[in-house]
Amino acid sequence: FLCHDEAQLLAAVDSNIGIPNVFQHVKESVAVQEYLQGDEFVVNTMSLDGMHRVLDMWSAHKIVDGDKILYGHQLLVADSRQHPD
């Protein structure tokens, strides 16, 4: 859900709590995060003994349709220098 005010947020949370998820476990909580417009990247990392490594990075294609955020495909970013920010 894409919520624009507190009332929409509360309604979205209420509509998700207490219903089964895809694994048929009843949802007792939900994660809420701020929506930022623009490109979205997923960066998978690993840390061990103080060493940190980026394993891969994905670019996510998404479309906003009213109050829904629809995710299409994800593409593996071959070279992070293509996205200097």
Side-chain angles (χ1 to χ4, degrees), residues 5-18:
D5 58 38
E6 186 175 350
Q8 288 179 344
L9 173 63
L10 293 173
V13 170
D14 286 344
S15 71
N16 275 277
I17 298 294

Side-chain angles (χ1 to χ4, degrees), residues 58-82:
W58 297 80
S59 171
H61 177 74
K62 60 187 174 187
I63 298 169
V64 175
D65 182 17
D67 66 344
K68 304 258 188 295
I69 303 170
L70 308 172
Y71 285 84
H73 58 276
Q74 292 186 337
L75 298 174
L76 182 62
V77 177
D79 186 348
S80 62
R81 290 175 290 188
Q82 295 174 7

Side-chain angles (χ1 to χ4, degrees), residues 9-77:
L9 173 63
L10 293 173
V13 170
D14 286 344
S15 71
N16 275 277
I17 298 294
I19 63 169
N21 63 19
V22 296
F23 301 109
Q24 299 306 309
H25 298 127
V26 175
K27 297 180 207 173
E28 297 177 359
S29 61
V30 295
V32 176
Q33 65 184 32
E34 182 178 3
Y35 174 74
L36 300 174
Q37 290 182 329
D39 295 337
E40 181 174 330
F41 294 91
V42 175
V43 180
N44 292 310
T45 63
M46 186 178 97
S47 299
L48 178 65
D49 297 329
M51 301 291 293
H52 312 289
R53 297 287 181 258
V54 173
L55 303 176
D56 54 24
M57 185 168 72
W58 297 80
S59 171
H61 177 74
K62 60 187 174 187
I63 298 169
V64 175
D65 182 17
D67 66 344
K68 304 258 188 295
I69 303 170
L70 308 172
Y71 285 84
H73 58 276
Q74 292 186 337
L75 298 174
L76 182 62
V77 177

